[in-house]
Amino acid sequence: MTRVFVGLEPPETLRTLLALQQQLLPLPSRVAPETLHLTLVFGGEQPPSMLADIDDALRAIRSAPFELYLQGFGLFGGARPRAVWAGVAPSPALGALQARVAQALRGIGLSLPARRFVAHVTLGRFTPPPPDEAMRIERAVAEGSGFRAGPWPVHDMVLWESRLSHRGAHYIELARYPLG
């Protein structure tokens, strides 16, 4: 089985800026800067035989290139935070691309979670910390509400394999799909 997802890779300038933000935030654990990305659709564990169908479905998607902007920070986990992320400014083009990718993958039989798409770049993942540390993280995220970065020119999307290890996830690019 191959664990796959489709996403967007930020340019090096934005990855560098996000790595700086990671250092400024009191994150218990940081995502490696070279793995920073925006997930469009998580495909989960797939048999090798399905990879050709995924590739064909993604090659058939048409979308014009567009620009994204990063905006503010957020938390996943509610009262027990477990991840900090950089947000993405609202983008109809991004929403349309994500919907096309999800529809294409469902069309070949992938069972995808039916959750609302929240465009973000994860900066840190961690076990929910004790209340005092959680409050520090929440305060820093709130203070970062003015964070802005971009533009992020989006010219392609990527199919990655995700390999999990005790050191975190390692991503292997399987294919790149130009927009336009």
Side-chain angles (χ1 to χ4, degrees):
M1 298 293 271
T2 305
R3 189 172 191 255
V4 296
F5 69 94
V6 180
L8 305 177
E9 183 176 38
E12 189 63 35
T13 53
L14 279 186
R15 269 204 306 270
T16 300
L17 180 58
L18 289 170
L20 173 62
Q21 294 303 312
Q22 286 177 307
Q23 298 303 316
L24 296 173
L25 291 164
L27 301 175
S29 178
R30 294 172 178 87
V31 171
E34 63 274 10
T35 66
L36 293 170
H37 66 277
L38 185 158
T39 298
L40 293 171
V41 174
F42 179 72
E45 298 280 344
Q46 299 300 325
S49 60
M50 185 59 104
L51 295 180
D53 291 340
I54 293 171
D55 182 63
D56 289 343
L58 294 175
R59 286 192 190 288
I61 294 173
R62 297 292 169 250
S63 175
F66 56 94
E67 288 185 338
L68 294 177
Y69 292 86
L70 298 178
Q71 170 180 301
F73 300 116
L75 292 164
F76 287 132
R80 297 183 40 113
R82 57 181 164 65
V84 172
W85 45 265
V88 177
S91 167
L94 175 62
L97 178 61
Q98 189 278 333
R100 283 188 199 110
V101 171
Q103 180 180 18
L105 296 183
R106 283 189 180 103
I108 59 167
L110 267 65
S111 177
L112 304 176
R115 65 180 102 150
R116 186 175 64 88
F117 175 62
V118 177
H120 68 280
V121 176
T122 301
L123 302 176
R125 288 185 191 89
F126 39 85
T127 304
D132 60 328
E133 193 174 332
M135 196 173 352
R136 254 181 357 114
I137 294 168
E138 290 168 3
R139 188 175 309 118
V141 165
E143 289 170 357
S145 65
F147 171 74
R148 303 280 184 273
W152 169 350
V154 178
H155 298 287
D156 54 27
M157 61 183 174
V158 181
L159 174 64
W160 276 290
E161 175 182 354
S162 174
R163 293 188 182 168
L164 301 178
S165 75
H166 65 280
R167 283 188 239 126
H170 173 69
Y171 305 132
I172 299 162
E173 183 178 315
L174 299 177
R176 191 169 287 262
Y177 306 92
L179 301 182

